[in-house]
Amino acid sequence: MKTALIINDDKDTLDILGYIINDMGHNCINSQSLLPISEIIELAADIILFDHYTNLQTPGNLCFQIKSDPLLSHVPVILFSAHLNIANIAKNSLADAYLAKPFDIDDLTNLVNSLLQ
């Protein structure tokens, strides 16, 4: 069983994503705010999903820090957003993948499964 860290400031979206990940057979750690790198390391998640906008901050910089940290660089990161430029945002922040909102649940589950293999 794998563990997913989901960061999203909208509680309803966070709950729905957590339900989907749990339904896939994985553990879920939910956070409504961005976390410091030290805490992310301690959580030892197998995959991280960020909303591009969280608490009026953009997690692209945190994503870049995660992908640049030797203890975390192997952890896949998925950015999701309704931002029209999410593909470039994900690329520039070194995210492994992105989902444009609104996204299909099957697209989410297929992406998570492919990144966790």
Side-chain angles (χ1 to χ4, degrees):
M1 185 178 297
K2 304 283 185 171
T3 299
L5 170 60
I6 304 172
I7 301 173
N8 190 318
D9 60 355
D10 180 72
K11 184 176 178 347
D12 293 335
T13 302
L14 193 62
D15 289 344
I16 291 167
L17 290 172
Y19 175 78
I20 293 166
I21 298 295
N22 285 328
D23 196 47
M24 294 173 66
H26 304 301
N27 289 324
C28 214
I29 302 167
N30 292 346
S31 177
Q32 285 187 265
S33 61
L34 298 179
L35 302 172
I37 288 287
S38 58
E39 192 170 338
I40 294 172
I41 291 170
E42 287 178 32
L43 293 173
D46 298 294
I47 191 167
I48 302 170
L49 295 87
F50 287 110
D51 188 335
H52 174 61
Y53 292 112
T54 302
N55 297 337
L56 303 176
Q57 301 175 47
T58 55
N61 190 35
L62 180 60
C63 182
F64 185 83
Q65 289 176 337
I66 288 168
K67 298 310 286 182
S68 301
D69 189 296
L71 297 174
L72 294 172
S73 62
H74 67 283
V75 178
V77 174
I78 300 172
L79 283 182
F80 53 93
S81 178
H83 194 287
L84 295 177
N85 204 17
I86 187 60
N88 283 334
I89 293 166
K91 179 181 175 184
N92 291 337
S93 61
L94 305 179
D96 295 278
Y98 69 90
L99 287 168
K101 286 180 176 178
F103 51 81
D104 187 79
I105 292 173
D106 289 336
D107 292 340
L108 171 66
T109 58
N110 289 336
L111 188 56
V112 169
N113 282 331
S114 71
L115 290 172
L116 286 177
Q117 290 182 352

